[in-house]
Amino acid sequence: MTYYVTTPIYYVNDAPHLGHAYTTLAADVLARWHRRRGEDVWFLTGTDEHGQKILRTAEANGVGPKEWADRLVHESWQPLWEHLEIANDDFIRTTQQRHTDRVREFVQDLHDRGEIYKDSYEGPYCVDCEEFKLPGELLDGEGEYAGQKLCAIHKKPVDLLKEENYFFRLSAYTDRLLAHYEAHPGFIQPESARNEVVNFVRQGLQDLSISRSTFDWGVKVPWDDAHVIYVWVDALLNYATAVGYNENPAKFGSTFPADVHLVGKDILRFHAVIWPAMLMANGLPLPGRIAANGWLLVGGEKMSKSNLTGIRPQDLTAHFGVDAYRWYFLRAIAFGQDGSFSWEDFSARYTSELANDYGNLASRVTAMVGRYSGGVLPAATADGEAERAVREGLARAVAEADRRIGEELDFQGGILAVLDFVKQVNGYLTEQQPWKVAKTAFDPAGAAGSEEAAARLATILYTAAESLRAVAVLLEPVMPETSRKLWESLGAEASLGALADQRIQEAGEWGRLPAGATVTKGAVLFPRLP
């Protein structure tokens, strides 16, 4: 079976910001990690291109909605994912026929099963959320919005809509959803998000309007082309249509459902309530896990275009580099919790952990192999307690990183486990003082004990280089370009093959980097910040 991980598909009403990139980076690291386990992995991302919000944005820019979507996808979304080295296996767009045809078939099937009926609806609707709101979910407007009701997320007035729509019998799935949550306590993560969803469902669900008739930018309802399918029903189905629903039974059977859907917490209910109910209604299996990340905050505000805190990822990669960008957000913020971003914090962590700890270790080791061993990795022939401690530290780091990232989605904890090992190796070099041992090993007078010192020096150099070999494998999912540079610098590619073929479990197998490997001092991994 395939390990299937997804991001939300993102609205193309504007260019991506840090919040979009955060969820996508987490999914990329998770997918890369499971590939390093030797698993068959399918990583899906894409764009949500239908709905009233996209239509209004396109009209405001003087173009049609499809032209607008094409422009944003080709000029903003896909180029950014390539820039950030997002290694997705597929990129689905909801305007693609492979998606729209299958959406119509899915909804027709629900209709044929008696799960859909026609009725009228009147209520507040947030176009930015593309969601009907309950009264308790609205704020009272102030200032220019005095007397109006606002969306609590976007702080904008909602529209009061009255339409005759088609409805999905969502209320019929209240008890089944609650039973599933109870039987699978890890289905929604983190626990705080699970509790919120459970409490919401316990209050009783209302049937869901699944069509709109006041505009036509969307997938037509198959039995009534005066209506388009509600954009969230359309969007959620991408997780099925992208892997062969009603089109490629073999692909669908080996891939669906997703092992992990990664989503922002503001769209959790759609994924943890509506999506599983739709699958139940159509007799399809439910995903393994819905994992909600927290909000990225700037100055205490959720990062978005609407509140002017949107920051382009390229603004940061131009200053810190792509790999440091990938590392920072997953290291600095506990996945599932809100986290604040600041340039000052990024700079401090970059200097301390990347440049001083990791980068300096790589520079020291490769330089010493060049200086003391002519660039040829020596064999370790004088192991002692200090080396055993390093090997044990590596075994702990591999086990903890694999558990935290691969199983618990604790990216921060997994990264810190590896960085703790980096610090241990730095400490090992400080204690063993190879620069002092070298003075005895290379004593021109040939004094007694120089052979013993040479053996110790060789062992210290090998231990440090082999540690870096393991670190390169462990941190490849987080910082792929840095790991590639280090891999080449250690001469590992010539002896062990491509970094992409290395497995997490092999990272902890001590002694894989052979003596005799050609070690070169490459470019500084993390240059001093401008």
Side-chain angles (χ1 to χ4, degrees):
M1 292 295 290
T2 298
Y3 186 83
Y4 182 24
V5 58
T6 76
T7 72
I9 52 173
Y10 302 105
Y11 284 128
V12 290
N13 59 305
D14 211 330
H17 57 60
L18 297 186
H20 303 119
Y22 177 57
T23 309
T24 309
L25 282 173
D28 183 64
V29 170
L30 184 62
R32 286 174 179 269
W33 193 272
H34 280 266
R35 290 190 188 110
R36 293 295 155 268
R37 283 179 161 186
E39 299 173 22
D40 183 23
V41 173
W42 195 257
F43 169 25
L44 174 69
T45 189
T47 46
D48 185 358
E49 302 176 13
H50 289 134
Q52 193 171 11
K53 178 161 63 172
I54 305 302
L55 179 61
R56 287 185 178 181
T57 302
E59 290 173 343
N61 284 274
V63 298
K66 182 60 165 62
E67 181 182 349
W68 176 257
D70 288 344
R71 179 190 304 176
L72 265 290
V73 168
H74 296 311
E75 296 180 5
S76 296
W77 290 89
Q78 289 180 329
L80 178 61
W81 296 161
E82 292 173 6
H83 175 63
L84 295 179
E85 290 211 44
I86 303 300
N88 51 293
D89 296 287
D90 193 5
F91 188 100
I92 190 165
R93 300 178 57 184
T94 56
T95 52
Q96 292 172 331
Q97 188 172 351
R98 63 165 174 157
H99 174 74
T100 58
D101 286 352
R102 305 291 85 77
V103 168
R104 286 167 59 88
E105 292 167 3
F106 186 98
V107 172
Q108 181 70 60
D109 195 19
L110 286 183
H111 182 263
D112 294 345
R113 291 169 180 256
E115 297 285 352
I116 293 175
Y117 64 93
K118 195 173 188 179
D119 203 348
S120 60
Y121 184 86
E122 181 176 2
Y125 189 86
C126 174
V127 174
D128 283 339
C129 290
E130 293 283 15
E131 179 185 17
F132 285 101
K133 296 292 184 178
L134 299 173
E137 297 174 319
L138 301 176
L139 303 175
D140 291 324
E142 298 178 352
E144 64 174 312
Y145 297 139
Q148 301 182 68
K149 293 293 185 179
L150 309 183
C151 168
I153 295 174
H154 293 95
K155 309 297 191 297
K156 292 181 179 179
V158 294
D159 296 342
L160 185 63
L161 298 184
K162 184 176 183 180
E163 295 181 356
E164 186 178 54
N165 294 336
Y166 289 96
F167 286 76
F168 167 56
R169 300 183 191 279
L170 180 62
S171 61
Y173 291 89
T174 300
D175 291 340
R176 286 186 62 181
L177 286 169
L178 290 172
H180 187 79
Y181 301 153
E182 184 174 356
H184 303 87
F187 179 65
I188 304 170
Q189 295 180 350
E191 186 176 359
S192 58
R194 178 185 183 276
N195 293 339
E196 177 186 324
V197 170
V198 170
N199 290 335
F200 173 77
V201 175
R202 279 179 178 160
Q203 297 172 19
L205 297 173
Q206 297 180 351
D207 289 348
L208 176 71
S209 172
I210 65 156
S211 74
R212 298 290 306 277
S213 58
T214 55
F215 61 92
D216 63 358
W217 179 238
V219 180
K220 297 288 187 180
V221 170
W223 62 89
D224 187 346
D225 62 8
H227 289 249
V228 294
I229 295 169
Y230 175 43
V231 66
W232 267 105
V233 172
D234 171 5
L236 288 166
L237 283 169
N238 92 90
Y239 306 127
T241 64
V243 291
Y245 169 76
N246 265 14
E247 185 176 28
N248 186 338
K251 174 72 172 177
F252 191 71
S254 65
T255 309
F256 192 85
D259 292 86
V260 182
H261 289 309
L262 297 182
V263 302
K265 69 177 183 178
D266 50 343
I267 57 172
L268 176 62
R269 287 185 191 173
F270 296 100
H271 288 80
V273 179
I274 296 174
W275 177 228
M278 288 167 53
L279 294 173
M280 289 175 176
N282 231 341
L284 292 173
L286 272 58
R289 208 172 351 177
I290 315 289
N293 60 257
W295 285 342
L296 294 186
L297 307 176
V298 176
E301 291 277 347
K302 180 197 174 195
M303 193 169 295
S304 69
K305 295 292 182 183
S306 58
N307 63 22
L308 303 181
T309 59
I311 297 174
R312 296 189 327 135
Q314 297 91 330
D315 296 337
L316 297 179
T317 60
H319 185 73
F320 295 99
V322 170
D323 270 13
Y325 175 97
R326 291 174 57 96
W327 160 85
Y328 171 75
F329 287 97
L330 296 181
R331 181 265 174 267
I333 299 169
F335 193 81
Q337 300 178 19
D338 293 348
S340 295
F341 160 79
S342 73
W343 283 81
E344 294 78 11
D345 184 60
F346 198 158
S347 296
R349 293 182 190 276
Y350 176 100
T351 300
S352 173
E353 296 182 3
L354 294 188
N356 292 349
D357 289 344
Y358 184 20
N360 188 46
L361 175 63
S363 294
R364 293 167 74 192
V365 173
T366 55
M368 285 190 295
V369 173
R371 183 181 308 121
Y372 303 137
S373 190
V376 177
L377 186 66
T381 58
D383 267 6
E385 284 297 323
E387 287 70 41
R388 280 192 286 274
V390 172
R391 292 196 294 271
E392 291 169 358
L394 175 59
R396 287 193 301 271
V398 172
E400 184 170 0
D402 192 34
R403 173 177 58 84
R404 288 184 178 271
I405 295 177
E407 301 299 329
E408 300 173 3
L409 310 188
D410 179 4
F411 303 100
Q412 182 186 65
I415 291 169
L416 288 177
V418 181
L419 292 180
D420 283 345
F421 176 67
V422 168
K423 291 179 180 179
Q424 180 183 357
V425 178
N426 273 316
Y428 165 81
L429 289 178
T430 300
E431 292 172 359
Q432 299 306 310
Q433 298 181 309
W435 46 90
K436 286 189 176 181
V437 176
K439 291 180 180 180
T440 303
F442 300 133
D443 188 340
S450 62
E451 290 185 5
E452 180 181 349
R456 274 304 300 154
L457 177 62
T459 299
I460 296 167
L461 295 179
Y462 182 86
T463 299
E466 170 66 350
S467 297
L468 283 172
R469 188 274 312 170
V471 171
V473 176
L474 292 172
L475 289 182
E476 187 278 339
V478 182
M479 296 185 284
E481 180 61 24
T482 298
S483 286
R484 285 193 291 267
K485 290 178 180 178
L486 181 56
W487 193 253
E488 293 172 1
S489 178
L490 293 171
E493 186 158 1
S495 54
L496 298 177
L499 177 60
D501 297 330
Q502 307 304 307
R503 299 289 175 254
I504 292 297
Q505 55 269 32
E506 294 170 347
E509 295 176 2
W510 191 263
R512 290 183 58 80
L513 187 62
T518 300
V519 177
T520 56
K521 190 176 187 302
V524 175
L525 296 183
F526 302 102
R528 185 183 301 275
L529 294 175

